[in-house]
Amino acid sequence: MTKCVAVLSSVAVLGLVASGCGGSSDNGSSGSKTTAKQPAKRPAKQPAKSGGTAAKTIQVSMKNIQFSPKSISVAKGTTVKWTNDEGVNHDVTKTGGPGPKFSSGTGNLSQGDTYEQKFDTPGTIKYVCTVHAPGMAGIITVK
Ligand SMILES: [Cu+2]
Protein backbone atom coordinates (compact mmCIF):
# COMPACT_ATOMS: atom_id res chain seq x y z
CA MET A 1 0.00 0.00 0.00
CA THR A 2 2.93 2.32 0.40
CA LYS A 3 3.30 2.34 -3.30
CA CYS A 4 -0.28 3.38 -3.58
CA VAL A 5 0.31 6.23 -1.13
CA ALA A 6 3.30 7.37 -3.10
CA VAL A 7 1.32 7.36 -6.27
CA LEU A 8 -1.49 9.13 -4.55
CA SER A 9 0.91 11.73 -3.27
CA SER A 10 2.46 12.45 -6.62
CA VAL A 11 -0.92 12.50 -8.23
CA ALA A 12 -2.04 15.00 -5.67
CA VAL A 13 0.95 17.14 -6.46
CA LEU A 14 -0.12 17.16 -10.05
CA GLY A 15 -3.44 18.45 -8.96
CA LEU A 16 -5.37 15.43 -10.07
CA VAL A 17 -7.94 13.57 -8.09
CA ALA A 18 -6.74 10.32 -6.60
CA SER A 19 -9.54 8.34 -8.08
CA GLY A 20 -7.19 5.99 -9.82
CA CYS A 21 -5.92 4.49 -6.62
CA GLY A 22 -8.31 1.68 -6.18
CA GLY A 23 -11.01 3.20 -4.08
CA SER A 24 -10.91 6.07 -1.66
CA SER A 25 -11.61 4.07 1.48
CA ASP A 26 -8.16 2.60 1.49
CA ASN A 27 -6.72 5.25 3.76
CA GLY A 28 -9.15 4.90 6.60
CA SER A 29 -8.32 8.00 8.58
CA SER A 30 -8.57 10.46 5.77
CA GLY A 31 -12.34 10.56 5.73
CA SER A 32 -13.64 13.66 4.10
CA LYS A 33 -10.55 15.66 4.84
CA THR A 34 -8.41 16.31 1.84
CA THR A 35 -5.23 17.20 3.64
CA ALA A 36 -2.86 14.74 2.04
CA LYS A 37 0.09 16.95 2.66
CA GLN A 38 2.36 14.79 4.77
CA PRO A 39 1.88 11.19 3.73
CA ALA A 40 5.28 10.04 4.98
CA LYS A 41 5.09 10.81 8.66
CA ARG A 42 1.79 10.65 10.38
CA PRO A 43 1.81 12.52 13.67
CA ALA A 44 -1.75 13.59 13.19
CA LYS A 45 -2.87 11.00 15.70
CA GLN A 46 -2.31 13.19 18.72
CA PRO A 47 -5.61 14.32 20.17
CA ALA A 48 -4.64 17.95 20.05
CA LYS A 49 -3.93 18.66 23.72
CA SER A 50 -6.89 17.74 25.84
CA GLY A 51 -8.11 21.26 26.21
CA GLY A 52 -11.72 22.20 26.61
CA THR A 53 -13.85 22.15 29.68
CA ALA A 54 -13.88 18.44 30.39
CA ALA A 55 -10.32 17.65 31.35
CA LYS A 56 -9.35 20.24 33.89
CA THR A 57 -6.74 20.13 36.59
CA ILE A 58 -6.97 22.04 39.85
CA GLN A 59 -3.88 22.67 41.92
CA VAL A 60 -3.76 22.34 45.68
CA SER A 61 -0.66 23.24 47.61
CA MET A 62 0.60 21.65 50.81
CA LYS A 63 2.16 24.42 52.82
CA ASN A 64 2.37 25.47 56.45
CA ILE A 65 0.98 22.08 57.44
CA GLN A 66 -2.22 22.88 55.56
CA PHE A 67 -3.86 22.18 52.27
CA SER A 68 -4.29 25.38 50.31
CA PRO A 69 -6.93 26.01 49.33
CA LYS A 70 -8.42 23.91 52.03
CA SER A 71 -11.78 23.60 50.35
CA ILE A 72 -12.36 23.44 46.62
CA SER A 73 -15.29 22.91 44.36
CA VAL A 74 -14.73 21.19 41.05
CA ALA A 75 -16.70 19.91 38.11
CA LYS A 76 -17.10 16.21 37.63
CA GLY A 77 -14.16 14.79 35.75
CA THR A 78 -11.67 17.25 37.21
CA THR A 79 -8.26 16.12 38.28
CA VAL A 80 -6.86 17.58 41.48
CA LYS A 81 -3.13 17.86 41.69
CA TRP A 82 -1.52 18.31 45.07
CA THR A 83 2.00 19.63 45.38
CA ASN A 84 4.07 19.60 48.53
CA ASP A 85 5.55 23.05 48.75
CA GLU A 86 7.51 22.74 51.96
CA GLY A 87 10.20 20.64 53.53
CA VAL A 88 7.83 18.51 55.56
CA ASN A 89 6.48 15.24 54.32
CA HIS A 90 2.76 15.01 53.75
CA ASP A 91 0.26 12.74 52.13
CA VAL A 92 -3.21 12.87 50.62
CA THR A 93 -5.62 10.27 51.96
CA LYS A 94 -9.36 10.13 51.51
CA THR A 95 -11.40 9.80 54.67
CA GLY A 96 -14.94 10.03 53.40
CA GLY A 97 -17.33 10.68 50.57
CA PRO A 98 -18.46 9.00 47.38
CA GLY A 99 -16.21 7.44 44.80
CA PRO A 100 -13.18 5.25 45.12
CA LYS A 101 -10.73 5.46 47.99
CA PHE A 102 -7.40 7.01 47.34
CA SER A 103 -4.17 7.69 49.12
CA SER A 104 -0.77 8.81 48.08
CA GLY A 105 0.72 6.59 50.76
CA THR A 106 1.42 7.63 54.31
CA GLY A 107 3.71 10.61 54.52
CA ASN A 108 5.38 9.85 51.24
CA LEU A 109 5.18 13.22 49.57
CA SER A 110 8.41 15.11 50.01
CA GLN A 111 8.99 18.67 49.00
CA GLY A 112 8.26 19.08 45.31
CA ASP A 113 6.36 15.82 45.06
CA THR A 114 2.93 15.76 43.50
CA TYR A 115 -0.08 13.52 43.67
CA GLU A 116 -3.04 13.49 41.32
CA GLN A 117 -6.52 12.16 41.65
CA LYS A 118 -9.44 12.46 39.27
CA PHE A 119 -12.94 12.96 40.60
CA ASP A 120 -15.85 11.54 38.66
CA THR A 121 -18.44 11.03 41.35
CA PRO A 122 -20.46 14.02 42.51
CA GLY A 123 -20.51 14.63 46.23
CA THR A 124 -18.33 15.89 49.04
CA ILE A 125 -15.02 14.17 49.50
CA LYS A 126 -13.02 14.64 52.65
CA TYR A 127 -9.35 13.93 52.88
CA VAL A 128 -6.47 14.48 55.24
CA CYS A 129 -2.76 14.29 55.51
CA THR A 130 -2.52 11.35 57.86
CA VAL A 131 0.73 12.66 59.29
CA HIS A 132 -0.85 15.90 60.44
CA ALA A 133 -4.51 15.00 60.83
CA PRO A 134 -6.85 16.18 61.99
CA GLY A 135 -5.34 19.63 61.64
CA MET A 136 -4.35 19.15 58.01
CA ALA A 137 -7.49 18.30 56.14
CA GLY A 138 -9.31 19.30 53.00
CA ILE A 139 -12.64 19.08 51.29
CA ILE A 140 -13.47 18.62 47.64
CA THR A 141 -16.97 19.24 46.43
CA VAL A 142 -17.57 17.53 43.10
CA LYS A 143 -20.50 18.81 41.09
CU1 LIG B 1 1.00 16.70 56.45
Side-chain angles (χ1 to χ4, degrees), residues 40-107:
K41 51 181 180 177
R42 37 179 132 164
K45 198 66 183 281
Q46 291 188 352
K49 63 178 59 179
S50 57
T53 54
K56 215 176 161 189
T57 299
I58 300 290
Q59 310 276 346
V60 175
S61 173
M62 292 177 263
K63 198 160 47 179
N64 303 320
I65 321 294
Q66 291 290 328
F67 293 107
S68 177
K70 189 182 180 80
S71 177
I72 59 174
S73 181
V74 304
K76 190 174 65 171
T78 300
T79 295
V80 178
K81 181 178 182 179
W82 289 267
T83 302
N84 188 348
D85 288 318
E86 65 184 335
V88 179
N89 275 31
H90 296 296
D91 64 60
V92 179
T93 301
K94 180 180 175 181
T95 56
K101 290 188 170 191
F102 61 85
S103 176
S104 64
T106 303

Side-chain angles (χ1 to χ4, degrees), residues 89-91 129 131-132 136:
N89 275 31
H90 296 296
D91 64 60
C129 164
V131 179
H132 300 110
M136 185 173 177

